Amino acid sequence: MMTTIDTQVLDQQARDILVANDRGGYTIPTAGLYPYQWNWDSAFCAWGFSTFDLERAWREIEMLLSGQWSNGMVPHILFHQDDPGYFPGPDVWGCDGPIPSSGISQPPVAATFARKLWEKDPDMAAPRLADVVRGLTDWHRWFFRWRVLDGMAFLTHPWEAGRDNAPDWDSAMAAIEPVGVGDYVRRDTGHVDPAMRPTKADYDRYVWLVQRGRRLGWDDAEMARNPVFRVADPTMTFTLLRANRDLLVMARASGAPCDEIEGWIADLEAGAAGLWNPDIASFDSRDLVNGGFSGCLSNASYLCWYAGIDQPQMLDHFRKLRGNCRYPIPSHPLDSPRFEAKRYWRGPTWGIMNTAIGLGLEEMGHGGEAEALRAATCELIAAHGFAEYFDPTDGSAAGGGQFSWTAAIWLAWASPNARRA
C-alpha cells in the first residue's frame, strides 16, 4: 500500500506536469512528441486542471472550441503555433479553419468533461454555459451529418478514433494502396522507440488519407462520395452517446433546445446493437466499405458502460481479464497473435481508457469492478510513472513521458485522494 506521503507527492508531480505542459490556455500532451493541442487529450486535461484550478480548466475547453470550423467540426489537432519538429504539420493538412488545424476530428469526450466542470461550480460556469453548449451541439450535429450511419459512429481516418494503429483497422487499411504518397520524414520515431509506434506501412496509409482529404478540400460531401476508409467504431459510438447524455443535461440547464439531442441519443442507443459481434460475443468495429467485423475485443469494447449500455457478456470478459492480466485493460487481447505489448494501440494499457471504463462500471452499478480497475490503474501509475501508455504484462512505461492526460486522470480518478478533490 502507498503511504499518504507517497500519494501527496504523486499528486504534486501530476499537477506539475499539467502546469509544465500548459502553453497559455491549452495543454500539449507532452513536450517534443506532441507539441500542439489535441482534442480528446484537452478534455481530459481540463478535468485534471479542475482539481486545483477550475478557471484554467474552463479555459482549456474554450480554447478547444476556438478552433471549431464553420460546419461545426472540432479538429483533432489545433496548431496554435508552428513547430517544425512535428509531422504532419499544418502545411501538410492545408486546412482553412479559424486556427491552423488538421482536417479530421476525434472522440467527442469534451461534453462529458465540460459537465464535470459545470457540476463543480454551476455559478462559475453560468456565464459561459450557453456558449459552450452551443459549440458542443454544433459539433455533435456535424457528427450526425457526416460520421453516423444507422446509429453507428464511424471514422474516416484511423487518427480520428484516437486509436491510431489498432488491429481493428488492419483489414480496412490493407485495402488502401498508398500510391504516390512520396517521401516524408516522421518525427515521432525521433522521440520514441520505433518499436512503440505505428509501422511505416501504417504511416504511408495515414499520410495517403491526409493527402486525399487535402485534394478534396476537406469537403465532407466530396469525401463521402467514394469512401475508401469508413469503419464504425465502439470508441466513436460510445463516446458520442455518452457525450450526448451529458450535453442534454447541460442544455436543459442553459435553456437550450433539447429535442434534437434526445433524438441523437435514441439513434445511437439503437445503433449500438449493430456493433455487437456474436462470433466473439463483444462490441466490435465494422468495416462499412468492404463489410464485416474486425474480430477485435479491444479496450474500446468495454466503453459500453461509459455510454450507459449494460452488457453481461462484456462483464464476463472483464472478470476473466482481471484474472490473466496484471495491468488491465490491454488495448488488444494478450492471447491474440496480433498482440504487441508496447506498440501503441496494439496491446498497451492506457490510463484514459481505464478511466472512462471505470466511470461507466461505477455508474452502471458494478462498483466492485470499477474499484478494482481504479486500484490497478493507481498501482500502475504509482509504480511506473506518468507515461503515455504501459505494457499490460509488466507495467513498464511506454510512449511519451510526463504525459498530460495520465497526470490528469491520476488527479481526477486514479489517485487515492481523487474522491476528496
Side-chain angles (χ1 to χ4, degrees):
M1 291 291 292
M2 291 180 293
T3 67
T4 302
I5 294 176
D6 290 331
T7 59
Q8 289 177 345
V9 168
L10 286 165
D11 289 353
Q12 188 57 52
Q13 288 176 354
R15 288 190 287 268
D16 289 345
I17 287 170
L18 288 177
V19 171
N21 288 338
D22 182 356
R23 294 296 182 269
Y26 69 92
T27 312
I28 62 169
T30 189
L33 182 59
Y34 301 114
Y36 299 112
Q37 183 178 20
W38 260 258
N39 189 320
W40 68 331
D41 294 68
S42 242
F44 282 101
C45 290
W47 190 31
F49 270 113
S50 76
T51 64
F52 64 97
D53 189 343
L54 188 54
E55 180 63 37
R56 174 60 185 78
W58 274 115
R59 183 63 178 145
E60 189 81 32
I61 298 294
E62 291 166 339
M63 286 286 280
L64 178 62
L65 291 175
S66 72
Q68 185 166 33
W69 288 17
S70 59
N71 65 1
M73 195 268 281
V74 180
H76 99 290
I77 307 174
L78 295 179
F79 302 108
H80 290 285
Q81 56 187 14
D82 189 36
D83 190 320
Y86 180 79
F87 175 86
D91 56 324
V92 177
W93 289 91
C95 296
D96 188 26
I99 294 170
S101 73
S102 63
I104 58 175
S105 198
Q106 251 189 342
V109 298
T112 296
F113 294 107
R115 177 182 175 183
K116 290 185 179 297
L117 306 191
W118 169 63
E119 289 178 336
K120 280 180 177 286
D121 189 340
D123 290 337
M124 175 187 283
R128 69 218 327 159
L129 187 61
D131 286 342
V132 169
V133 166
R134 187 180 306 110
L136 291 170
T137 302
D138 288 346
W139 184 23
H140 292 196
R141 185 178 296 114
W142 172 85
F143 268 104
F144 277 86
R145 185 173 185 186
W146 299 111
R147 294 291 189 277
V148 175
L149 180 66
D150 296 331
M152 298 177 288
F154 63 85
L155 49 143
T156 61
H157 192 297
W159 289 338
E160 206 157 38
R163 299 190 296 127
D164 302 18
N165 66 333
D168 303 50
W169 335 128
D170 284 357
S171 177
M173 288 283 275
I176 296 172
E177 290 293 337
V179 177
V181 73
D183 295 329
Y184 59 89
V185 178
R186 291 175 62 175
R187 306 292 183 179
D188 59 323
T189 51
H191 297 283
V192 174
D193 182 348
M196 299 179 183
R197 300 293 296 175
T199 65
K200 184 180 187 306
D202 288 329
Y203 236 84
D204 283 349
R205 288 162 173 79
Y206 300 154
V207 174
W208 186 88
L209 286 168
V210 171
Q211 292 173 344
R212 175 180 182 269
R214 180 169 183 167
R215 285 196 308 271
L216 297 176
W218 299 107
D219 183 302
D220 287 309
E222 286 297 318
M223 291 190 291
R225 290 188 203 286
N226 294 293
V228 293
F229 184 92
R230 178 183 284 188
V231 181
D233 169 42
T235 328
M236 299 294 269
T237 302
F238 291 145
T239 57
L240 183 58
L241 175 51
R242 171 56 183 264
N244 279 306
R245 296 191 196 281
D246 293 317
L247 178 61
L248 180 61
V249 173
M250 292 188 291
R252 285 173 175 159
S254 70
C258 297
D259 290 354
E260 185 177 27
I261 302 171
E262 291 170 347
W264 293 339
I265 292 171
D267 190 24
L268 291 167
E269 285 178 335
L275 293 175
W276 184 258
N277 183 348
D279 291 340
I280 61 172
S282 172
F283 292 106
D284 191 8
S285 300
R286 291 182 64 175
D287 186 339
L288 300 181
V289 175
N290 302 307
F293 285 102
S294 70
C296 293
L297 169 60
S298 68
N299 52 0
S301 305
Y302 296 98
L303 289 173
C304 56
W305 300 298
Y306 176 78
I309 296 175
D310 207 1
Q311 171 47 256
Q313 288 167 288
M314 292 306 305
L315 204 60
D316 292 341
H317 287 306
F318 178 82
R319 289 168 175 160
K320 180 181 178 181
L321 182 62
R322 282 183 55 197
N324 63 20
C325 179
R326 182 176 180 185
Y327 293 111
I329 293 174
S331 45
H332 194 68
L334 276 65
D335 59 358
S336 167
R338 292 186 283 180
F339 171 79
E340 296 182 71
K342 288 185 170 64
R343 194 180 291 279
Y344 218 36
W345 290 92
R346 301 186 72 85
T349 289
W350 295 72
I352 52 112
M353 296 293 278
N354 283 6
T355 301
I357 294 163
L359 290 174
L361 281 166
E362 183 171 13
E363 291 160 356
M364 297 301 288
H366 306 301
E369 288 79 5
E371 177 53 27
L373 184 57
R374 190 206 62 78
T377 309
C378 174
E379 176 189 343
L380 177 62
I381 296 172
H384 299 282
F386 296 98
E388 183 178 5
Y389 48 93
F390 304 86
D391 184 324
T393 64
D394 62 13
S396 56
Q402 304 297 292
F403 217 83
S404 293
W405 67 8
T406 309
I409 63 100
W410 171 268
L411 290 170
W413 179 73
S415 168
N417 299 320
R419 293 183 185 275
R420 298 191 288 271

